Amino acid sequence: MDLINSVLNLVVPPASLLMLAFAWPTLSFINACEWLYNTYFSEEMDNKVVVITGASSGIGEQIAYEYAKRGANLVLVARRDNRLHGIADNAQRLGSRHVLIMAADVVKEEDCRRFINETINYFGCVDHLVNTASLGHTFFFEEATDASVFPILLDINFWGNVYPTYVALPYLRQTNGRIVVNASIENWLPLPRMSLYSAAKAALINFYETLRFEVKDEVGITIATHGWIGTEMTRGRFMVEEGAEMQWKEEREVQVTGGPAEDFAKLIVGGACRQAAYVKYPSWYDIFFVFRVFSPNVLYWTFHLLSTSHVSRRTSFIGTGRPLLEGSPPRKLLTGASPGTSSQSQVPVYQQQKVE
């Protein structure tokens, strides 16, 4: 048996690549025909009911606008509803007849059951459930000195999708509805400073891939993965306050209109209406998956070189280079010794950020 496995290890990978190379034109043609057919017979969303979690900003906000342009009725869900009022007004101007806003925490099953039940009581059905609530981070795992934040990251990125799906699934079966998942390329592409986020997204993808077989054709599932998206993650600072309660502090320095977030939202909604199984932005990231499967060392060497090129390990805002010390100090930050400093001189090394 060991000999057979050894031979297959040598033969199967190159043979599979060769077969894929020859089959690629045919597969591309089939995919193009399927895309044209689904585009022509795409689902009409006029007066249908769409529940969107994490709708208060970023990708979730833009998805709400895209559904509104198609005439869908919306249920906008976020932990705090202060921003949802303005988004609801914008959605109605864009074409939504009815928009409900609900404050709820998606990591609590009772909250999820409440906003789904209120949706059913008001509209009578659910056609699409769009899960966009997410929480990212940009810290090195070994620098975190308070492990109590680990479950928070896993809860929002995993259970914050599972609970709404669990509650809404019976109603989605009744309408042959669709679940839309906002995932990330990090579910299989390892990036430094995103270990827990990547783990949660990997679990999320595997959950929905398995669920896809369980629900068969009764409920559709669209998994959307993206690379770098310039949303609230680059502009807001989010800390853990005393009492382990997650407090969102928004710093909307740049309006989230236009650019990658809006483009990705258009792709997601268009893909969901075409009943697409996957939406990818941008699609050229897929080439790295080939390296991940057949030449994982290439990815390891690449990220090793990239990570060692940064001398400082102090956590900062992604894409801005601003140190975490900038601005008013939060009530609670995780602290630890920064490289090159004594143990008496400590700087904040942990930052928590929201993507909604």
Side-chain angles (χ1 to χ4, degrees):
M1 191 64 184
D2 290 340
L3 178 60
I4 294 176
N5 283 328
S6 298
V7 173
L8 291 176
N9 287 339
L10 294 174
V11 173
V12 171
S16 299
L17 286 176
L18 188 63
M19 291 174 60
L20 183 61
F22 281 105
W24 191 265
T26 302
L27 293 174
S28 299
F29 176 75
I30 294 174
N31 289 335
C33 292
E34 185 180 40
W35 182 87
L36 289 172
Y37 177 84
N38 290 333
T39 300
Y40 185 77
F41 294 102
S42 63
E43 181 180 3
E44 293 291 336
M45 295 305 301
D46 186 50
N47 214 34
K48 290 194 173 182
V49 180
V50 180
V51 178
I52 305 174
T53 68
S56 63
S57 61
I59 295 171
E61 176 183 353
Q62 295 302 322
I63 287 176
Y65 296 153
E66 292 302 318
Y67 273 110
K69 294 174 184 176
R70 296 171 182 259
N73 298 315
L74 302 178
V75 179
L76 307 180
V77 181
R79 288 187 70 257
R80 296 185 176 183
D81 61 359
N82 57 326
R83 269 194 42 78
L84 293 179
H85 293 280
I87 296 173
D89 292 339
N90 293 337
Q92 287 183 312
R93 283 194 293 268
L94 289 171
S96 287
R97 294 181 180 86
H98 304 282
V99 180
L100 297 184
I101 60 175
M102 299 186 192
D105 190 343
V106 291
V107 303
K108 297 178 180 178
E109 182 188 346
E110 59 271 21
D111 278 21
C112 297
R113 196 169 296 279
R114 174 175 54 81
F115 70 72
I116 291 297
N117 286 339
E118 290 185 18
T119 300
I120 297 300
N121 291 336
Y122 190 87
F123 291 111
C125 66
V126 176
D127 294 289
H128 282 200
L129 170 66
V130 185
N131 295 310
T132 70
S134 184
L135 185 67
H137 65 82
T138 58
F139 63 85
F140 287 97
F141 180 74
E142 64 181 345
E143 292 179 343
T145 59
D146 186 352
S148 65
V149 299
F150 296 169
I152 296 174
L153 288 163
L154 272 295
D155 283 347
I156 294 177
N157 289 308
F158 183 74
W159 295 114
N161 290 262
V162 173
Y163 283 137
T165 300
Y166 174 68
V167 176
L169 194 56
Y171 303 105
L172 291 168
R173 285 183 181 273
Q174 294 174 6
T175 60
N176 290 115
R178 179 162 292 272
I179 301 168
V180 183
V181 187
N182 176 34
S184 176
I185 201 71
E186 284 85 10
N187 77 87
W188 59 263
L189 184 64
L191 293 178
R193 295 188 175 189
M194 305 189 78
S195 53
L196 293 171
Y197 177 80
S198 299
K201 291 299 183 181
L204 190 66
I205 293 294
N206 281 280
F207 167 76
Y208 281 108
E209 291 289 15
T210 304
L211 184 64
R212 193 196 302 276
F213 288 101
E214 293 183 5
V215 298
K216 299 179 182 178
D217 295 329
E218 297 179 20
V219 178
I221 297 178
T222 296
I223 298 175
T225 56
H226 61 80
W228 175 247
I229 297 290
T231 64
E232 297 288 323
M233 198 169 185
T234 64
R235 306 175 191 123
R237 179 180 294 181
F238 309 95
M239 285 78 64
V240 180
E241 299 279 354
E242 294 293 338
E245 178 74 15
M246 189 67 66
Q247 303 292 331
W248 308 127
K249 176 185 175 185
E250 296 191 18
E251 296 180 355
R252 300 184 63 80
E253 299 169 356
V254 182
Q255 293 297 318
V256 188
T257 55
E262 185 175 354
D263 295 340
F264 185 48
K266 289 180 181 178
L267 286 177
I268 290 177
V269 177
C273 293
R274 291 196 312 271
Q275 303 176 7
Y278 303 97
V279 172
K280 300 175 183 180
Y281 180 88
S283 59
W284 61 265
Y285 275 94
D286 286 353
I287 190 61
F288 292 113
F289 189 75
V290 178
F291 287 101
R292 172 69 183 269
V293 174
F294 293 100
S295 301
N297 285 338
V298 173
L299 280 183
Y300 172 77
W301 294 330
T302 301
F303 283 110
H304 181 70
L305 290 174
L306 291 175
S307 62
T308 55
S309 64
H310 299 284
V311 177
S312 175
R313 289 169 64 90
R314 180 190 297 181
T315 301
S316 62
F317 287 96
I318 296 179
T320 66
R322 295 182 297 170
L324 187 57
L325 289 172
E326 185 177 328
S328 58
R331 290 170 57 191
K332 178 181 180 182
L333 280 173
L334 305 186
T335 59
S338 178
T341 63
S342 64
S343 59
Q344 289 78 17
S345 175
Q346 293 185 329
V347 298
V349 296
Y350 173 82
Q351 174 191 1
Q352 205 157 284
Q353 299 169 311
K354 178 186 68 169
V355 181
E356 275 195 353

